[in-house]
Amino acid sequence: MENKVIYFDNNATTQVAPEVLEAMLPYFCERYGNPSSIHRFGGSVAAEIENARSKVAELIGATYRDRDGIATEIIFTSCGTESDNAAVNSAIATNPERRKIVTSAVEHPAILSCLKNYERNGIEVVKVPVDNRGRLDMEFLRNAVDENTALVTIMWANNETGTIFPVKECAKIAHSKGALFHTDAVQAAGKVKIDVEDTDVDFLSISGHKLHAPKGIGILYVKRKLRFMPTIYGGHQERLRRGGTENVASIIGLGKACELAISNLENEQRELAAMRDRLEEKIKSSIPKVHVNGDLDNRLPNTSSISFEYIEGESILMFLDMQGICASSGSACTTGSLEPSHVLRAMDIPYTSAHGTIRFSLSRYNTMDEIDTVAAALVPVIARLREISPYWNEAEK
Ligand code: PLP
């Protein structure tokens, strides 16, 4: 019991669901054939891949099937990052006369780093700002998109705050100028309803490990009839759109994960939101000077970004970690500078709050008991850190 981990970091990655693991296991030592093989031992696996593809399509509302019943709008990739890059690369390659990409200031690095590279090569990149609740400036977006824009890429939901973006409206704005529209739905898939047809997106990215499938599998949805240029060239897999022998076991796992998400989406949403709300209520009622970040009226049910004023998020995480509690901070500590993340900076969160920001992200495997344990554990941790914080002591004078 002492070593039990309380895992509140599900936007970083999730536990593989036991049902998913069970579905995958036969594909390692029993049905390990290559789906491209002529023999039945390998070939029979191809049918299972198509079954998984259909499940993924169902999760995102992609109803199209070709005459063989195959959901050809879904391309399996290795991860969300690859899917994001593949969408951007294809949009630019198929529209070489258009030299502009419009995105948001709060995208994941999977998009922003990719765009930086295009910027170095002469493509104009415009980042739409957000307000202090993380909501997109739609007027800015409307003015930024023009006939020179190849692609508008706006995430479905933000990974740090959970804020959900109006992708349907964004897609409409893109299309009104003949631009393509991509959405990074890595954090949204399995947590909120996605309908690619109603929203009319051209591309959409998903990553398996964020919805209880394993790491190393993702998908890119590409609307039917859209011209597509691959990022990875190779064999004829994925209808020549993504070379490389299929990651069969993980594809099967992702199909199962989508099936689980579809069957329980509404219940899970309710349960996650109830746990998140209780966590926030408990924290707000027992600790002074805390703020919840993001668009509180429109966010993922599992994500809570909380700023504890005048202390460092990393110190909070360290103390929580000593008690087996896992969460994330809102810092980009890769540089060692503990700078607040680009998301919190774009939201103009005051730096005394941004530094002490923690992201708690829940999953179906969390419980109300864990919520109570974490809320209680935070009280002495925050009090102790504030005691030794010169900023807190200064502010309290
Ligand atoms: N996009 C978003 C919004 C994410 O949160 C992540 C992962 O954190 C990614 C893309 C990258 O996904 P992957 O880890 O599968 O490459």
Side-chain angles (χ1 to χ4, degrees), residues 11 79-81 84 108 110 155 159 184 186-187 207 209-210:
N11 287 8
C79 59
T81 302
D84 284 350
H108 189 271
M155 66 204 326
N159 44 303
D184 173 339
V186 164
Q187 291 296 345
S207 171
H209 72 103
K210 310 286 185 180

Side-chain angles (χ1 to χ4, degrees), residues 63-230:
T63 57
Y64 174 74
R65 302 290 182 271
D66 74 359
R67 71 168 80 89
D68 298 320
I70 291 172
T72 51
E73 294 174 311
I74 308 298
I75 302 175
F76 287 112
T77 65
S78 67
C79 59
T81 302
E82 183 191 324
S83 302
D84 284 350
N85 276 253
V88 175
N89 293 344
S90 180
I92 293 291
T94 56
N95 294 280
E97 69 293 349
R98 292 179 176 237
R99 308 288 295 161
K100 185 178 187 180
I101 302 175
V102 178
T103 188
S104 84
V106 295
E107 297 297 308
H108 189 271
I111 284 290
L112 291 180
S113 305
C114 172
L115 298 191
K116 194 167 222 147
N117 198 40
Y118 276 105
E119 213 168 14
R120 276 189 217 109
N121 290 302
I123 299 279
E124 185 188 357
V125 174
V126 178
K127 292 183 194 160
V128 181
V130 296
D131 67 10
N132 63 5
R133 283 167 60 183
R135 294 173 302 187
L136 268 193
D137 184 337
M138 295 303 283
E139 197 52 38
F140 188 104
L141 175 66
R142 244 172 247 115
N143 292 328
V145 180
D146 58 17
E147 271 76 16
N148 193 31
T149 307
L151 178 72
V152 176
T153 172
I154 304 282
M155 66 204 326
W156 196 293
N158 184 264
N159 44 303
E160 289 192 31
T161 63
T163 298
I164 294 174
F165 294 110
V167 281
K168 184 173 179 172
E169 209 181 326
C170 296
K172 205 167 167 187
I173 293 169
H175 293 153
S176 72
K177 302 289 181 185
L180 294 169
F181 183 76
H182 165 254
T183 184
D184 173 339
V186 164
Q187 291 296 345
K191 297 174 191 158
V192 290
K193 187 170 167 22
I194 290 181
D195 187 332
V196 285
E197 285 168 15
D198 177 54
T199 45
D200 199 23
V201 303
D202 299 299
F203 302 105
L204 176 141
S205 309
I206 289 187
S207 171
H209 72 103
K210 310 286 185 180
L211 70 149
H212 305 293
K215 296 161 189 66
I217 185 72
I219 67 104
L220 179 65
Y221 160 86
V222 181
K223 193 197 278 178
R224 60 186 162 277
K225 297 200 180 133
L226 197 68
R227 273 193 306 150
F228 184 79
M229 295 287 281

